[in-house]
Amino acid sequence: MQPTNLLRSFTLFLALLAGLAGARAAPPAPAAPPEVGFSIVRTGSLQVREGLVYSGGSFSKKVDTIFSAVLIKHGGEFLLFDTGLGSNIAAQYQQDMPLLMRPLFKYEEPVTPVKAQLDGAGIGPLSRIILSHSHWDHASGITDFPGTPVMVAPEELEVIRRPAGTTGGAWPSQVGSPSIPWQPIAFEPRPYEGFERSLDLYKNGKVVLVPMYGHTPGSVGLFLTVDSGKRYFFVGDVVWSAAALENGSPKFWAARIKVDDNAARTQGTIEQIRTAMQRDPALVVVPAHDGTVQNALGYFPAWIR
């Protein structure tokens, strides 16, 4: 072979190797978003003693308490179940959290609001927000989504229309604006998984809302069936830890007195959740603050499908 041809062949060989190396080094293409799926959007966290989370928990063990929202994708729509801590949480907290309650009910910086995370990922606009209930750590982000319809149970709307700056009520700084487009959830008299009423949001069994009385007058749970067929049950603050469901344990007694509107009805709802779990052992129950469950599932921008 002539020297010129040999040089040309060697150059082509090096180029081929470089191309192969580049192909191997290229990151995998991101997976397409699901048709129906969800992502947990973590806005903040706090470590607390397990014994303060549920009756029978250990006081020597600390667990992660997560302030989160659930981003749900259904077809071409995105919606939120709860909003976590919003961009105005510091001002809201200063205005409406009673001074005596601040050592017991708090959050830590940094806070990463849902709105900022969704904007950074190019996701939006939202079709709606659904509140599990109107407490401060679930409703804080409503003000970040002006004009977005907010669905609540009719009983919860009565709480919202007379907001009180306490841990057991809705905060005026979060829900007091007359411009928020509230939408009462029109539950139908159709039992679902042991709950006496339900609303199949898309009429296909994928997103089903149920009333979950007790923690607040109008607490709401959400059943979600994702692309894989796996089912998840988002239960708000009926329990703060899925571990409590093993024995049907309520919240720690002092917390129960302060935050549950009706402890007996809350306990009844806990038993309804346990019955649903017995009926479907593969059902994944996701309490709104349970770090053990949520850390295992992962956080936005990862999708559960």
Side-chain angles (χ1 to χ4, degrees):
M1 182 179 291
Q2 296 294 322
T4 301
N5 293 335
L6 180 62
L7 180 60
R8 185 180 296 114
S9 298
F10 185 65
T11 301
L12 290 173
F13 177 68
L14 290 178
L16 178 61
L17 287 179
L20 290 173
R24 286 194 298 269
E35 180 68 15
V36 179
F38 72 93
S39 184
I40 298 174
V41 189
R42 175 175 174 151
T43 64
S45 64
L46 185 70
Q47 282 208 325
V48 299
R49 301 284 177 184
E50 185 183 63
L52 298 175
V53 174
Y54 66 93
S55 180
S58 170
F59 280 92
S60 64
K61 175 183 176 183
K62 286 190 173 183
V63 295
D64 286 334
T65 290
I66 309 297
F67 301 100
S68 63
V70 182
L71 176 67
I72 297 171
K73 182 181 182 297
H74 182 281
E77 289 190 22
F78 293 96
L79 60 129
L80 280 183
F81 187 64
D82 287 338
T83 68
L85 304 180
S87 59
N88 298 314
I89 183 57
Q92 294 166 350
Y93 191 93
Q94 287 300 315
Q95 176 178 322
D96 288 327
M97 178 64 83
L99 290 174
L100 291 177
M101 293 296 103
R102 294 184 185 188
L104 301 175
F105 299 96
K106 56 188 176 180
Y107 68 95
E108 292 181 348
E109 297 289 352
V111 169
T112 51
V114 171
K115 184 65 163 61
Q117 295 188 55
L118 298 190
D119 286 350
I123 291 178
L126 299 176
S127 63
R128 70 192 87 193
I129 294 168
I130 304 170
L131 286 186
S132 68
H133 62 292
S134 60
H135 282 171
W136 68 280
D137 47 344
H138 298 257
S140 174
I142 290 175
T143 56
D144 291 336
F145 299 93
T148 301
V150 184
M151 298 181 68
V152 291
E155 298 89 344
E156 197 73 6
L157 193 54
E158 292 303 310
V159 176
I160 288 166
R161 284 173 173 160
R162 55 175 190 277
T166 69
T167 56
W171 283 4
S173 59
Q174 296 177 345
V175 303
S177 171
S179 65
I180 297 174
W182 299 105
Q183 290 186 352
I185 298 171
F187 288 112
E188 299 173 348
R190 296 182 180 180
Y192 185 85
E193 293 293 353
F195 294 87
E196 67 273 23
R197 294 185 296 152
S198 65
L199 177 63
D200 187 344
L201 201 58
Y202 295 98
K203 309 303 180 186
N204 60 5
K206 300 293 186 180
V207 182
V208 181
L209 306 177
V210 294
M212 305 187 76
Y213 302 115
H215 179 61
T216 66
S219 289
V220 172
L222 186 151
F223 285 90
L224 179 66
T225 303
V226 299
D227 285 351
S228 66
K230 195 165 185 63
R231 301 173 69 233
Y232 296 83
F233 187 16
F234 301 94
V235 300
D237 279 3
V238 176
V239 292
W240 286 338
S241 170
L245 294 169
E246 183 176 347
N247 297 311
S249 300
K251 299 178 184 72
F252 177 62
W253 68 268
R256 195 161 69 241
I257 291 171
K258 187 60 187 173
V259 306
D260 283 344
D261 178 70
N262 187 314
R265 295 193 84 181
T266 304
Q267 191 62 38
T269 301
I270 289 173
E271 293 307 317
Q272 287 178 294
I273 297 171
R274 281 161 51 83
T275 298
M277 294 170 65
Q278 291 165 3
R279 186 180 292 113
D280 180 5
L283 180 69
V284 179
V285 175
V286 186
H289 298 293
D290 191 335
T292 300
V293 172
Q294 295 184 31
N295 291 341
L297 290 172
Y299 296 101
F300 184 80
W303 286 101
I304 306 294
R305 59 187 72 223

